[in-house]
Amino acid sequence: MRTWLWTLLLVVVAVCVAVVLRQHPGNVLLMISPWRVEMSLTMALLSLVALFVVLYVVLRLLGWLLAIPDRMRAWSGRRAQARDQELVEQGWIGLLEGRYAQAEKGFIKLHSQTRSVTRRVLAALSAARAAHQMGEYARRDQMLEAAQAGAGADAPLQEAVASVTADLLLAQGQAQKALDALAPLQDGGARHLHTLRLLLRAEKALDHHDQVFALTRSLLRRHAIDKAEALQLIDQSGAARLRSGMGDGSWRGVWKELKSEERMLPNVALAAAAALDETGEGNEAARVLEAAIGDKFNPTLVSVYAHCQADQVPRRLARAETWLQQRPADAGLLMALGLLCLNGQLWGQAERYLQRSLSRRDDPQCHALLGRLYDRLNRPQDAMRHWRLATEARVALPVLAADTVLPPAETQADPDPYHAQSAYDLPSVAPRTLPAEPEPLPVPPAVDYVIEPNAREHLERVRPADEPPAVVPPRSAINIEDFFDSAPIPAAAFEAPVTQAGEEGATPSGASPGHHPHHPHIEKKG
C-alpha cells in the first residue's frame, strides 16, 4: 500500500512540474570556463533528475560491493543459528519423548559447535538433564560443571544453572547438596517462585520445619501453591515446631505466631493440646480441641478429647453430647462418650454408649473398653468375652480344627512279657500266671559278634607278625544297629532252650544250644 502511495505522489509531482514548466518557458545558461552551455529549463531539470538517478545507482552498487564480507558473515551466522536451532529442537523432542541417549548426543554436539554462550549453557543443562534421566550421574555432573563455567558472571545464566542443578539433585534425593546449590540465589536475593518451590522441597526433605513454615506461608501469600497442600504443610511443620518447643517452653511463642485458621488444623491442635496438658492447663487444651473439632470433625481429635482427668469429664461430656446430636450414628464419637463415662465412673452410661458403638462398628478398642468396664463391675465372664473379641479383632488368629482323640486301646487280651518273647506262641494259648515281681535278668558281659564263624581265624592268618592285635572297643562304643536289624542277643539266651508252643523248656527239632533260630550264621565268640 505504501508503494502505491509513493508512486501516486511522484506522478502528481511530475504532472505539476510539467504544467509549471509549460506555462513558464525559459533558458538556462551554464558558464563553465572555457565552456558556455545554454539549454531550456525543461532540459535542465530533466538532466538534474537523470544525474541524480545515475549517482544513486552508482553509490548503491558501490555500497553493495563493499558490504559483501558483512553479508557473508551474516549469512554464515544465520546458517549456524538455524543449525543450532535444529539441534535444540531435535534434542528437546527426544528428551520429551524419552529418547534420552539421542537427546544427550544432540545436546553435546550443540555444546561443542555453537558460538553462542547462551546456547552453550542451554545445551549443557539439557544434556545434564538427559544424562540424569538415564542414571548417568557422573556425566550429568560434568555437564553441570561445564554449564557453570560457561555462565560466567551472567546473573540470569547463573540462576538457570543453580535452578537446574538443585532440581536434579532433589530428584536424586540429595537435598543438602541442592540447598547448597541454591545458596547463591538466596544470598543474591533472588526470590522468584521457582526458586521458592525448590527451596521448599529441599527444606521439607531435610525436616527444617521453621523454613518450611515460612516458605509455605510466602508461597500461599503469592498464590503460588495450592491452598490444601499449603495447609497440610503448615499443619505438619507447625505441629513439629510446637512439639520441639515443649522442652524449653518456646512453644508458646510459636503458638502466638500462628493465625486463627492455622490453630484449628488437626496436628497443630493436637500438639498444642499436649503442650497445654503437660503444663496443667486442661481447660485451655479442651478449648483448643473443641475449636478444631468444631471447624472440621476429626475422629482422632475426638479420641484425644475423651482422654482427660476426672474433673474435666462433666464439661467435656456435655460438649461431646452436643456433637452426638449432629452425628448420632458416629461409632467413634459413641466410643469417645463411653470412654468419658468410664473416666467419670458413670458405668451405666458407659455401657450404653459402648454397646451402641459396637452395634455400628466392630472395634477392638471398644471391646477392650467393655472388658475393662465389666472387670470393674465384677463380671469376669463378660470381661473375658470382650477381651477375647478385642484380641481376635486386632490379631488374625488361625482357625484351629477340632481335636481328634483316639479311643483307649484294649489291653486285656495282650500277651504277657514272657509270652511276647516266644516266637512260637499261638493266639489260642492262654496266658501264664506271672509272679508278682519277676526277678531281673542278669546283665550279660560284653561280647563280640561276628558274621561268619571263621572270620576271626582268617583275620589272624592275614595279620602281619609285627602288627599288634586290634583293640576291640568297649561295647558301649559299638553301634550294633549298623550291623543288625534287631537288638544284641544276651548271653543267657544261648544257654536257655527255646520254648515251643504249649511247652516250657522244650527245644525245637534241629536246633542246638547256642544257635538262634533267626540268625543261623551268628556265633558267640569269647
Side-chain angles (χ1 to χ4, degrees), residues 498-514:
V498 179
T499 305
Q500 289 191 1
E503 295 182 4
E504 295 183 6
T507 304
S509 62
S512 60

Side-chain angles (χ1 to χ4, degrees), residues 80-355:
Q81 184 176 1
R83 185 174 60 249
D84 294 348
Q85 186 70 24
E86 183 180 0
L87 288 175
V88 170
E89 291 177 357
Q90 291 178 357
W92 271 100
I93 289 174
L95 189 63
L96 295 176
E97 289 180 350
R99 297 178 294 172
Y100 302 118
Q102 181 179 352
E104 183 187 12
K105 183 178 179 180
F107 287 132
I108 292 176
K109 182 179 180 181
L110 175 62
H111 179 267
S112 61
Q113 72 182 17
T114 185
R115 290 174 291 181
S116 173
V117 177
T118 303
R119 284 195 291 271
R120 187 179 298 112
V121 174
L122 176 62
L125 293 177
S126 302
R129 190 174 290 276
H132 173 83
Q133 294 296 336
M134 293 188 296
E136 299 292 341
Y137 301 125
R139 295 207 304 265
R140 178 203 66 184
D141 295 339
Q142 291 177 1
M143 298 310 299
L144 288 176
E145 292 175 0
Q148 182 67 36
D154 194 337
L157 290 180
Q158 286 183 350
E159 189 172 341
V161 172
S163 299
V164 173
T165 303
D167 191 11
L168 296 180
L169 290 174
L170 284 173
Q172 190 183 358
Q174 300 183 6
Q176 185 59 51
K177 290 184 178 180
L179 199 60
D180 296 339
L182 292 172
L185 301 184
Q186 300 183 60
D187 299 337
R191 308 295 287 180
H192 58 82
L193 298 180
H194 184 58
T195 304
L196 290 178
R197 292 192 183 99
L198 292 175
L199 287 172
L200 177 60
R201 289 172 58 190
E203 302 289 1
K204 180 183 177 183
L206 294 173
D207 291 333
H208 295 167
H209 302 294
D210 294 337
Q211 289 80 0
V212 170
F213 186 82
L215 289 170
T216 305
R217 269 189 170 183
S218 178
L219 288 171
L220 183 60
R221 185 168 55 252
R222 299 170 66 174
H223 305 285
I225 188 174
D226 184 67
K227 187 174 181 180
E229 181 183 0
L231 290 179
Q232 182 179 3
L233 291 175
I234 291 175
D235 187 18
Q236 296 173 357
S237 59
R241 295 177 67 196
L242 288 171
R243 286 192 295 268
S244 62
M246 289 174 61
D248 54 0
S250 59
W251 65 271
R252 295 186 183 275
V254 177
W255 178 251
K256 292 179 181 179
E257 183 184 352
L258 295 173
K259 301 177 182 178
S260 58
E261 180 185 9
E262 297 169 348
R263 291 183 177 185
M264 290 185 292
L265 296 174
N267 292 323
V268 172
L270 288 175
L276 290 169
D277 285 334
E278 186 178 358
T279 57
E281 303 177 48
N283 292 330
E284 188 64 26
R287 281 192 288 270
V288 170
L289 293 175
E290 289 167 2
I293 295 172
D295 179 68
K296 185 177 181 180
F297 189 85
N298 190 298
T300 304
L301 294 178
V302 174
S303 178
V304 174
Y305 186 77
H307 291 78
C308 62
Q309 300 295 331
D311 56 347
Q312 295 285 327
V313 169
R315 177 180 182 276
R316 299 195 182 195
L317 185 60
R319 189 59 180 269
E321 287 176 348
T322 60
W323 297 332
L324 185 62
Q325 295 176 2
Q326 303 171 1
R327 310 172 67 91
D330 192 289
L333 182 56
L334 288 169
M335 186 172 62
L337 283 166
L339 179 58
L340 283 171
C341 293
L342 280 177
N343 291 335
Q345 297 185 1
L346 305 174
W347 314 126
Q349 292 185 13
E351 183 180 11
R352 285 193 295 272
Y353 283 131
L354 293 176
Q355 292 289 355

Side-chain angles (χ1 to χ4, degrees), residues 358 362-372 386-387 389-390 393:
L358 279 180
D362 189 13
D363 189 86
Q365 185 179 0
C366 192
H367 282 296
L369 291 176
L370 273 173
R372 184 67 180 272
H386 281 284
W387 280 334
L389 291 174

